[in-house]
Amino acid sequence: MDLLFNAYSTNTDEDEENEKHPPPPFKRAKPELPHTSINFDHGKHISTESSISGRYISKRERALMASAPPQIPNPDPPSSSACSPVQGSILDSSIRKDILSSLRNPKGGGNANSERKSTALIGHTKAVNALQWSNSHCHLLASCGMDSSINIWNVWSNEQKKARVLNVHSAAVKDIKWCEKGFSLLSCGYDCTSRLIDVEKGIETRVFKEDQVIGVVKFHPNNSNLFLSGGSKGVIRLWDIRTGNVVNQFSRGLGPILDVEFMNDTKQFISSSDESKSNVSENSIIVWDVSRQLPLSNQIYVEAYTCPCIRHHPYDPYFVAQSNGNYIAIFSSKSPFRLDKYKRYESHFVSGFPIKCNFSTDGKKLASASSDGFIYIYNTKSCHLINKIKAYEQACVDVAFHPILSNVIASCSWNGEISVFE
């Protein structure tokens, strides 16, 4: 052992000084290379060229460095989008005068047959999954996408149209919903969370964590403190925003939940799931009793197709389901919730995409996105196609009528584009 000790300890600091005769380490001239200073309790400084690869560090220097307190490097400055989600104004003071006048003094009516693209909103880098107009601040449009971002658009602003960029999710964002009042927004996504966001401040105010990817969220129509979430494990939960806790849980061993929708004075809600355990999708659409947490019917739709979107008519007692059979089916919202076998909305295409549809505020029109890039607009009474708008080269995923201006409709595409037609 003595021989090994002598062999590995021959190159000492003293030998080095005898051979090269440099000044002591503390008195060496500082090299003109980048260095950092490590502070010690006794107040002295040692220059260490840690950034120089292969530099020899003597034993004495190593001992002093080991006894030094750890140095905490300055963190990298956050990106501009992370430190400041504010891109433009969310107020209506900068929007077009004709739009502002119409929003403040709505006259109703309007013609949805115009094919003039009034606004193109560029911001998402991947597919846009959902969009929605704000009911309380009708000049604002929210969108979310596979690029993990949420964008808030001041659509008719004469200045910056992109008002907020909210990067609160760590994975793709699947769905968004505005609160009926104020600037609150609810989102969910592939990071297994739902998040409540204060759009005005650009921050999240509460996070709801789950054990599944969340595909859809829906505010309770009469109580904005409650919302439903549906996920990849087939579990639907009713949350209370005030406490952050689950109020009720609805589970029946279903496949991934595709959509949820309240109906009948919010005493019931409908769920659509990707059920593939049987030859027919007998559990693909279920009506649930909210208070008892029990299914009222699970054999509403027995076609061998899943339904990526469910919408209840604003006034009449029926709801529709977007089917992967390339049509929209119609169901009564009164028990036993029967399928209308004589009427359906067809001409558009789904082709496996998460294609959505939406009623106009007055309930007279139903708009459907389509995998062929068109927007299809139907008369809800007759089911006849009244207009067809070419929107994109790739699939159109979601459409949304403006809550006040009946001649305005927004849409988004699988390639990240958002358009507003007047």
Side-chain angles (χ1 to χ4, degrees):
M1 293 298 294
D2 293 338
L3 292 174
L4 288 173
F5 177 80
N6 293 333
Y8 284 99
S9 61
T10 54
N11 189 18
T12 63
D13 293 336
E14 288 74 19
D15 293 336
E16 195 175 68
E17 292 173 3
N18 291 334
E19 291 176 9
K20 300 182 180 180
H21 306 288
F26 287 105
K27 296 181 181 179
R28 291 177 185 167
K30 293 183 179 179
E32 311 223 352
L33 294 168
H35 66 273
T36 58
S37 295
I38 301 180
N39 298 330
F40 298 91
D41 293 337
H42 49 70
K44 294 184 179 180
H45 301 274
I46 292 182
S47 297
T48 60
E49 301 159 346
S50 57
S51 61
I52 306 175
S53 176
R55 173 187 176 273
Y56 174 75
I57 302 176
S58 67
K59 287 185 177 179
R60 183 178 300 165
E61 198 172 352
R62 287 199 298 269
L64 289 172
M65 291 173 62
S67 64
Q71 184 183 20
I72 301 175
N74 292 328
D76 294 332
S79 63
S80 59
S81 61
C83 65
S84 179
V86 176
Q87 304 287 314
S89 173
I90 60 174
L91 303 178
D92 61 5
S93 57
S94 63
I95 70 174
R96 283 167 30 194
K97 292 183 178 180
D98 60 323
I99 296 294
L100 182 61
S101 176
S102 298
L103 292 178
R104 293 181 176 177
N105 301 290
K107 299 178 181 178
N111 181 13
N113 292 333
S114 173
E115 297 187 16
R116 181 173 64 89
K117 182 185 293 187
S118 62
T119 309
L121 306 174
I122 307 300
H124 288 283
T125 58
K126 295 182 180 179
V128 182
N129 289 319
L131 49 74
Q132 189 186 36
W133 293 99
S134 169
N135 284 328
S136 58
H137 300 84
C138 300
H139 59 291
L140 297 180
L141 177 72
S143 63
C144 65
M146 299 300 289
D147 58 3
S148 306
S149 71
I150 300 169
N151 288 347
I152 308 298
W153 307 92
N154 193 339
V155 175
W156 293 285
S157 174
N158 293 316
E159 300 169 358
Q160 172 65 270
K161 296 185 186 300
K162 187 191 293 183
R164 298 287 188 274
V165 178
L166 306 167
N167 295 308
V168 297
H169 286 270
S170 59
V173 188
K174 195 69 173 63
D175 195 19
I176 48 171
K177 292 292 188 298
W178 283 99
C179 183
E180 284 296 315
K181 297 180 180 180
F183 287 106
S184 293
L185 185 74
L186 188 64
S187 63
C188 67
Y190 287 85
D191 59 358
C192 301
T193 66
S194 302
R195 298 172 186 262
L196 186 67
I197 305 167
D198 185 325
V199 172
E200 187 173 19
K201 297 179 180 178
I203 59 173
E204 65 181 26
T205 56
R206 192 177 284 275
V207 180
F208 309 87
K209 297 181 180 180
E210 300 197 38
D211 58 349
Q212 57 181 352
V213 171
I214 311 302
V216 59
V217 286
K218 183 76 174 183
F219 273 112
H220 191 286
N222 299 333
N223 187 348
S224 59
N225 291 313
L226 302 175
F227 74 91
L228 287 172
S229 69
S232 59
K233 294 184 178 181
V235 179
I236 304 169
R237 293 182 172 99
L238 181 65
W239 294 84
D240 190 324
I241 287 174
R242 295 162 294 189
T243 63
N245 296 327
V246 177
V247 178
N248 287 334
Q249 181 167 303
F250 309 84
S251 180
R252 195 179 169 82
L254 304 174
I257 302 300
L258 303 177
D259 204 1
V260 291
E261 177 80 330
F262 282 99
M263 69 173 189
N264 294 341
D265 296 327
T266 69
K267 296 178 181 179
Q268 301 161 358
F269 75 87
I270 321 154
S271 70
S272 172
S273 65
D274 190 358
E275 178 59 56
S276 58
K277 294 181 181 178
S278 58
N279 292 330
V280 295
S281 304
E282 61 179 13
N283 289 320
S284 62
I285 297 178
I286 296 180
V287 176
W288 298 84
D289 185 289
V290 174
S291 60
R292 293 188 294 164
Q293 306 172 52
L294 295 173
L296 299 178
S297 178
N298 68 329
Q299 294 187 350
I300 298 174
Y301 186 61
V302 294
E303 299 290 331
Y305 302 111
T306 56
C307 300
C309 177
I310 303 287
R311 295 289 183 266
H312 195 278
H313 191 273
Y315 308 109
D316 296 336
Y318 72 90
F319 66 90
V320 299
Q322 181 77 270
S323 170
N324 266 300
N326 295 327
Y327 62 87
I328 298 174
I330 305 172
F331 303 86
S332 170
S333 56
K334 296 180 179 179
S335 182
F337 316 109
R338 293 186 179 181
L339 169 70
D340 189 332
K341 298 180 180 180
Y342 304 101
K343 293 173 63 177
R344 61 169 59 170
Y345 305 93
E346 53 188 356
S347 289
H348 63 282
F349 302 92
V350 180
S351 307
F353 285 92
I355 302 297
K356 298 181 177 66
C357 59
N358 273 296
F359 287 101
S360 60
T361 305
D362 59 11
K364 295 180 179 180
K365 296 182 289 290
L366 174 68
S368 175
S370 179
S371 61
D372 61 359
F374 282 83
I375 300 171
Y376 291 76
I377 302 177
Y378 300 93
N379 181 294
T380 54
K381 294 291 185 183
S382 65
C383 296
H384 292 159
L385 179 68
I386 58 176
N387 196 24
K388 179 180 175 183
I389 303 172
K390 177 63 175 178
Y392 312 106
E393 295 302 321
Q394 295 190 28
C396 180
V397 177
D398 196 4
V399 289
F401 282 102
H402 192 274
I404 293 178
L405 306 176
S406 61
N407 64 317
V408 173
I409 187 169
S411 64
C412 61
S413 79
W414 197 247
N415 63 355
E417 296 180 72
I418 299 174
S419 303
V420 177
F421 296 88
E422 291 185 23

